[in-house]
Amino acid sequence: MKLKDLMLNCPEKFSGLEITGVTDDSRKARKDSLFIAVKGPLSDGHDYAKQALEKGAAVIITERDLKEKNQIVVSDTHSVLAEICGNWFGNPQKKLKIIGITGTNGKTSVCYMIKKILEHCGYKTGLIGTIQNMIGDEIYPSKNTTPGVYDLYSLFSEMVKKGCQYAVMEVSSHSLDQRRVEGIRFSAAVFTNLTQDHLDYHGNMENYFAAKKLLFEHSDLAVVNFDDGYGKRIVNDVECPVVTYSASSNESTYTAKNINYRPDGVDYEMVGFGLIGRIKLKIAGKFSVYNSLAAAVCTKELGLPLNEITDALGNLQGVKGRAEVVPCDRDFTLIIDYAHTPDGLHNIINTFKECPKNRLVVLFGCGGDRDRTKRPKMGRIAARLADFVIVTSDNPRTEDPKAIIDDILDGMKDI
C-alpha cells in the first residue's frame, strides 16, 4: 500500500513509497516497512528508530527530529499510528458497532453477557478481553486486556471479514492512558465501578479515575453504575448522553427491584420508565445483579428488545473464571473466581458465605510487580470472612513469591 493512502498529510517526497508493513515495534520492522515511534510508559520508540531503519524500514514517523534522512516529523505519533493502522486494515472500526466496558471489577462478565445477548438477538459478535479474544465461537489468545493499536485493528479486521456486526471489549485504564484505543468511536461505553487497583501504575485513585473517564470522550452513550461514587462523578463530568443503573436508588434510569438471592443464582426486576424486565440468573451474588443489569441496560439502550435480553440472560450458564462452579463429584462445591482486588475478594467471599455449608475455605494469592498496598487488605478480608485460608502464589513475575505472601500475611495478623 502506498504511504499516501495510509497517511493523510503524507509529505510529497514519500507519497509514492510502497509500504510492506506497519509497526511501532522496531523488532518487527522489515524491508520497506513503516515504523512509528511512540513513547510508552517503559520505553520510547524514538530510541529504537535507528534500529528499525537498519532492519529495512523505508520510513520512520517521529515526534522530534532524529536527523534521519527517511523521517517524517509529526506532532502526535499516537494519533498517526491509529490513523495508519485503520487505513492499513481498511478501517474496520467504522464497520462495527463497538461497545467498551471499563471499571475495576466486572468488565469480563459484562462483556460476555453483552456478547450473549447480541448473539441471542442474531448478531454475530466479536469479543476482546482478559481471558481470551473471540470472533463468534472462535477463540483467539489474549496477551493484554486491551491489545496494542495494531493488534486491535487487526482483530477488528478479522471480525469484519467473518461477518461480525458488533464488537464488545474490555477497556483497561492502562490502554486508555497509553492511548491504545485511539481512533475508535464507541457506540456505548459502560462504567462498572472503581476500587483500589493498579496504583503501582497510576500512583493514586484520582489518576486511575481520570484514565477510566477518558473512554467517555470517545463514546456516543455512557452506561454508568449510579451506586458507585465515581460513577456519580462520571454522570456530572461527561458530555455524551448518560443512562444510569442501580440496585438501590430510584434516581437512576434503571433500577433492580425485588432482588431475590438464591444459592444457585438471583432473580430481580429491571425497572425503567414505563417498563419492567424480569431477570432470572443462574449466577449467584449481588455482583451478578450489577453485571447483568449493566449488560441489560446497555443492550436495551442500543435498541434490542427487552424480552430477548431477559431470555438471553436467563439462558446464560456463567462466565469462565467468574464465580465458576467446577464439577468435582465430591461432597463439597469448588468455585473459581478471578478476584484480584480487595473489593472483588470481599464480594465473592460474601456471596458464598451465606450459602448452606460446613465451612468456607478460601485459597488465593496476589500477582507480582503490581500494587503492593492491596495485598495486606486482601489478606485481612480473607481472614475475617473465611473459615480457613490458604495463601499461595499467583504469577509472581519478577518478585520473590515469599515476599508477596509475607505482604498478604501482614494483613492477617491479630485476626
Side-chain angles (χ1 to χ4, degrees):
M1 187 177 290
K2 285 187 167 47
L3 186 53
K4 66 179 181 180
D5 297 322
L6 292 171
M7 186 179 182
L8 182 62
N9 295 313
C10 179
E12 182 62 32
K13 72 172 185 173
F14 295 120
S15 63
L17 278 179
E18 193 70 32
I19 299 301
T20 61
V22 175
T23 186
D24 61 343
D25 184 341
S26 62
R27 295 167 297 184
K28 296 179 180 178
R30 62 177 187 264
K31 182 173 172 53
D32 295 329
S33 62
L34 175 65
F35 173 75
I36 301 99
V38 174
K39 187 174 182 179
L42 300 177
S43 62
D44 187 344
H46 293 79
D47 297 335
Y48 302 95
K50 191 174 185 65
Q51 178 183 328
L53 288 169
E54 291 170 351
K55 290 175 75 67
V59 184
I60 57 172
I61 298 179
T62 75
E63 289 183 358
R64 60 177 184 266
D65 185 1
L66 298 180
K67 309 299 182 185
E68 298 290 349
K69 181 174 63 176
N70 290 355
Q71 71 174 17
I72 300 172
V73 181
V74 299
S75 60
D76 183 356
T77 52
H78 283 90
S79 61
V80 170
L81 174 63
E83 173 195 340
I84 288 172
C85 286
N87 289 329
W88 179 259
F89 288 107
N91 288 301
Q93 79 283 4
K94 295 180 180 179
K95 302 168 187 175
L96 293 163
K97 290 184 179 179
I98 302 174
I99 303 168
I101 295 91
T102 199
T104 306
N105 300 312
K107 294 189 298 297
T108 299
S109 294
V110 175
C111 264
Y112 276 84
M113 288 177 176
I114 290 176
K115 182 176 186 289
K116 290 298 183 183
I117 292 169
L118 290 167
E119 290 174 338
H120 183 81
C121 293
Y123 298 103
K124 188 168 184 179
T125 303
L127 180 144
I128 298 172
T130 303
I131 298 174
Q132 60 194 17
N133 301 320
M134 300 181 72
I135 299 177
D137 293 329
E138 295 180 72
I139 295 173
Y140 295 71
S142 174
K143 183 180 178 182
N144 297 312
T145 297
T146 312
V149 177
Y150 182 91
D151 290 337
L152 183 57
Y153 280 81
S154 177
L155 275 168
F156 287 153
S157 178
E158 283 298 306
M159 290 177 188
V160 171
K161 287 177 186 175
K162 295 186 176 181
C164 291
Q165 297 114 312
Y166 280 88
V168 56
M169 61 182 291
E170 298 180 48
V171 186
S172 68
S173 59
H174 292 71
S175 71
L176 288 160
D177 184 65
Q178 296 165 19
R179 298 173 64 185
R180 284 187 240 150
V181 292
E182 192 82 6
I184 296 170
R185 189 70 190 175
F186 293 88
S187 296
V190 178
F191 177 82
T192 60
N193 52 62
L194 199 74
T195 61
Q196 182 180 335
D197 201 11
H198 305 307
L199 298 192
D200 56 307
Y201 179 89
H202 295 289
N204 56 57
M205 289 297 292
E206 281 304 307
N207 292 341
Y208 183 27
F209 175 59
K212 291 290 191 187
K213 198 167 62 171
L214 290 171
L215 176 60
F216 302 94
E217 295 179 8
H218 309 282
S219 180
D220 296 331
L221 173 70
V223 179
V224 179
N225 179 359
F226 195 68
D227 293 343
D228 184 88
Y230 289 99
K232 287 185 172 70
R233 289 175 59 181
I234 286 178
V235 171
N236 296 320
D237 290 351
V238 302
E239 295 184 2
C240 66
V242 178
V243 294
T244 58
Y245 63 93
S246 169
S248 60
S249 174
N250 291 324
E251 295 179 29
S252 62
T253 316
Y254 296 89
T255 306
K257 297 279 192 179
N258 300 319
I259 303 171
N260 175 39
Y261 296 104
R262 299 176 280 108
D264 60 344
V266 61
D267 311 328
Y268 67 91
E269 294 171 351
M270 171 181 152
V271 179
F273 184 75
L275 65 82
I276 297 177
R278 291 173 174 81
I279 295 173
K280 186 179 180 68
L281 290 173
K282 298 174 184 176
I283 313 168
K286 188 174 184 179
F287 57 86
S288 295
V289 175
Y290 281 102
N291 292 340
S292 59
L293 192 56
V297 169
C298 179
T299 49
K300 175 69 176 69
E301 287 294 316
L302 289 174
L304 275 66
L306 183 57
N307 64 313
E308 298 289 344
I309 293 169
T310 57
D311 286 349
L313 289 172
N315 291 326
L316 189 68
Q317 295 299 317
V319 178
K320 186 174 177 61
R322 285 0 188 223
E324 179 186 4
V325 178
V326 181
C328 59
D329 295 324
R330 301 286 295 276
D331 59 349
F332 56 82
T333 303
L334 179 62
I335 297 156
I336 296 176
D337 190 84
Y338 183 56
H340 61 284
T341 66
D343 183 66
L345 188 63
H346 182 275
N347 288 340
I348 191 66
I349 295 176
N350 260 347
T351 292
F352 294 101
K353 188 174 176 62
E354 301 306 318
C355 295
K357 65 183 190 310
N358 291 319
R359 62 177 180 167
L360 179 65
V361 179
V362 173
L363 181 150
F364 83 104
C366 292
D369 298 332
R370 296 295 186 267
D371 180 10
R372 289 185 60 185
T373 64
K374 69 180 181 181
R375 295 172 186 169
K377 294 178 181 178
M378 293 176 71
R380 192 172 303 115
I381 288 166
R384 284 177 176 169
L385 296 179
D387 297 304
F388 191 86
V389 180
I390 303 168
V391 180
T392 187
S393 181
D394 177 9
N395 191 6
R397 299 182 177 87
T398 65
E399 282 195 73
D400 177 3
K402 185 179 183 304
I404 298 172
I405 290 173
D406 287 342
D407 285 343
I408 296 171
L409 295 177
D410 280 344
M412 302 173 75
K413 295 174 180 176
D414 304 321
I415 292 181

